[in-house]
Amino acid sequence: MAKLPITVCIIARDEEKHIEECLKHLRKYDWEIIVADTGSTDHTREIAARYADKVVDFAWVDDFAAARNYCASFASNNWILVIDCDEYITSVDTSVLRMLLQKFPRHAGMLRITNLVPKDGEESGYVMDDVPRLYNKNYYHYLFPIHEQVRFIDPARIEDAMDVFMLPIEVVHYGYTLTGEDMARKQRRNLDLLYKALESDPDNAYYHFQVGQSQYVLGDIDAAIRAYEKSMRLTNDMENLYVPELIMSLARAYCQKDRLSEALELLEKYNKIYNTAKFTYEYADLLRENNQVIKALMLYVKVTAMRDMDTLGERQLSCYAHIIDIYRKMGNVEMAELFHQKFQQCLSERERIINS
């Protein structure tokens, strides 16, 4: 059978800690691999040369989108799969992937990424993110110098929502396991690039959202709220992929400042628009914290039946735990036991993911 017409594109700088393992996982699928080195001073480039089909050099210009597009320009195939050095592909259903490429030639592919995150005094936990990472370079490219996104090449369609399909690929991301000063350094770097981008595009809602994200991680909640609120004011298209996360992030920031009523009002306003497991779970949590326990229970149970429940990552366990606790307090032992069984199944899946 013919090889899948996919080129994996990776940009790298001083990634000797991760890049070899990343490339070893990729090599088993026989895809073309191109690595764009953006100025490494360690052994990244020589490691990449042992596995990649091409290693090219990109002079860093503070622009991640430019680097990704440059890397893709060397691809022999039209389909581009973007992977980072600290992401390891653990499984691919190649037969399903082949069918999806044939069926949806102008769609983008969404990668469900398992992000390992540190937990105080414990082993890693994990969260899930759905991110567009496969695209046809005839129709799409990357935009934005920081927190870059796949967008239409056609200028008239830049803000249009993309048609997407889920990729039958499992990937684990280790980059969020940074702690302490390493994470703070990364966020300060991101802020420098974001503020530079805002100088030429001050009304970019997405940039302001990402400023809020970095400020939140750095612990400046007031600055995060100001950035989130400005992003909300500037956002014209509520279908943009980042908007649900923007709303949930602002609600979390309000809660950090004991502005619970504003957080609840915000999630209530948009709950019917964003019918996803993540948004519904966030709303349920806030209702529970506001002593609206029965309404919270109904939403927690709803989450367990949603097709995208696994996007909650490890919070699936919390969802089941809250349901069990509420039912037990109500005296409904039978329902508590039913969800306890589901909790145990979820716990087994967590162990598989963490130890994979």
Side-chain angles (χ1 to χ4, degrees):
M1 185 174 290
K3 292 170 59 175
L4 285 172
I6 290 174
T7 296
V8 180
C9 288
I10 300 171
I11 61 172
R13 182 175 184 175
D14 295 337
E15 289 284 358
E16 64 181 5
K17 178 180 178 181
H18 292 291
I19 193 168
E20 185 162 26
E21 197 65 29
C22 172
L23 294 173
K24 281 182 178 178
H25 280 75
L26 283 169
R27 257 306 169 204
K28 67 181 70 174
Y29 302 109
D30 198 27
W31 296 329
E32 181 181 48
I33 301 173
I34 298 176
V35 175
D37 187 88
T38 65
S40 293
T41 57
D42 63 4
H43 297 291
T44 295
R45 204 182 190 287
E46 65 183 72
I47 294 171
R50 294 203 295 265
Y51 298 92
D53 296 280
K54 299 175 188 175
V55 180
V56 298
D57 293 305
F58 178 80
W60 184 242
V61 290
D62 290 341
D63 192 324
F64 283 91
R68 295 208 187 276
N69 293 334
Y70 179 79
C71 188
S73 72
F74 290 89
S76 301
N77 300 299
N78 289 326
W79 284 103
I80 307 298
L81 176 62
V82 173
I83 297 293
D84 287 335
C85 295
D86 54 8
E87 295 171 346
Y88 306 160
I89 288 180
T90 56
S91 71
V92 179
D93 189 327
T94 54
S95 60
V96 172
L97 181 55
R98 185 182 301 276
M99 179 272 292
L100 290 169
L101 297 185
Q102 294 170 349
K103 186 176 181 180
F104 303 112
R106 290 176 178 260
H107 285 39
M110 296 287 284
L111 195 61
R112 182 158 293 168
I113 301 175
T114 300
N115 303 287
L116 298 185
V117 295
K119 295 175 67 177
D120 294 338
E122 301 180 39
E123 61 184 332
S124 294
Y126 69 99
V127 296
M128 299 282 201
D129 282 320
D130 289 350
V131 186
R133 287 290 193 87
L134 181 75
Y135 64 94
N136 189 313
K137 67 178 182 179
N138 291 316
Y139 313 119
Y140 302 98
H141 66 168
Y142 270 93
L143 285 181
F144 307 132
I146 179 72
H147 298 296
E148 62 280 13
Q149 291 190 326
V150 177
R151 294 293 178 91
F152 283 101
I153 294 174
D154 182 352
R157 302 194 65 190
I158 286 177
E159 297 300 327
D160 288 1
M162 298 181 298
D163 292 317
V164 299
F165 58 85
M166 289 303 304
L167 292 167
I169 299 174
E170 289 189 2
V171 60
V172 180
H173 174 219
Y174 291 83
Y176 290 160
T177 55
L178 292 175
T179 56
E181 182 54 31
D182 287 337
M183 177 58 79
R185 189 181 302 110
K186 178 179 179 179
Q187 297 305 325
R188 288 193 291 268
R189 178 211 66 185
N190 288 352
L191 283 172
D192 287 343
L193 294 176
L194 285 164
Y195 288 134
K196 181 179 178 180
L198 281 167
E199 289 176 4
S200 57
D201 193 3
D203 292 333
N204 189 303
Y206 178 68
Y207 291 160
H208 287 288
F209 160 62
Q210 291 295 352
V211 167
Q213 296 291 73
S214 288
Q215 295 287 15
Y216 190 96
V217 172
L218 290 170
D220 192 339
I221 307 303
D222 290 323
I225 288 173
R226 289 193 296 271
Y228 291 145
E229 289 179 338
K230 186 158 188 177
S231 182
M232 289 290 295
R233 292 194 297 271
L234 292 170
T235 296
N236 296 317
D237 185 0
M238 301 306 289
E239 293 185 5
N240 265 316
L241 292 175
Y242 72 89
V243 176
E245 186 60 41
L246 163 63
I247 294 167
M248 290 186 287
S249 297
L250 178 55
R252 291 185 208 115
Y254 281 154
C255 289
Q256 288 284 318
K257 305 300 289 188
D258 295 323
R259 296 164 62 177
L260 296 182
S261 61
E262 291 173 84
L264 188 59
E265 181 181 353
L266 184 66
L267 294 188
E268 284 177 343
K269 179 178 180 180
Y270 292 101
N271 181 53
K272 291 182 179 178
I273 298 176
Y274 302 114
N275 188 33
T276 66
K278 281 186 176 181
F279 204 97
T280 306
Y281 174 83
E282 201 85 30
Y283 185 32
D285 254 7
L286 196 53
L287 287 168
R288 181 177 53 82
E289 291 173 14
N290 279 268
N291 297 314
Q292 298 184 49
V293 179
I294 301 303
K295 190 173 181 180
L297 174 63
M298 292 172 62
L299 290 179
Y300 284 134
V301 173
K302 177 183 176 182
V303 168
T304 67
M306 298 179 82
R307 293 178 60 184
D308 64 337
M309 187 194 180
D310 59 346
T311 61
L312 290 180
E314 196 173 35
R315 288 188 297 172
Q316 294 175 79
L317 290 168
S318 298
C319 184
Y320 284 125
H322 292 318
I323 294 171
I324 293 165
D325 180 62
I326 294 170
Y327 272 129
R328 283 177 176 166
K329 288 177 178 177
M330 293 170 59
N332 194 330
V333 178
E334 183 178 355
M335 290 301 293
E337 178 57 29
L338 173 64
F339 281 96
H340 181 72
Q341 294 173 18
K342 296 179 181 292
F343 176 90
Q344 291 298 325
Q345 294 169 2
C346 187
L347 188 61
S348 297
E349 176 64 7
R350 177 195 181 279
E351 293 302 313
R352 182 191 72 82
I353 291 172
I354 294 297
N355 297 315
S356 62

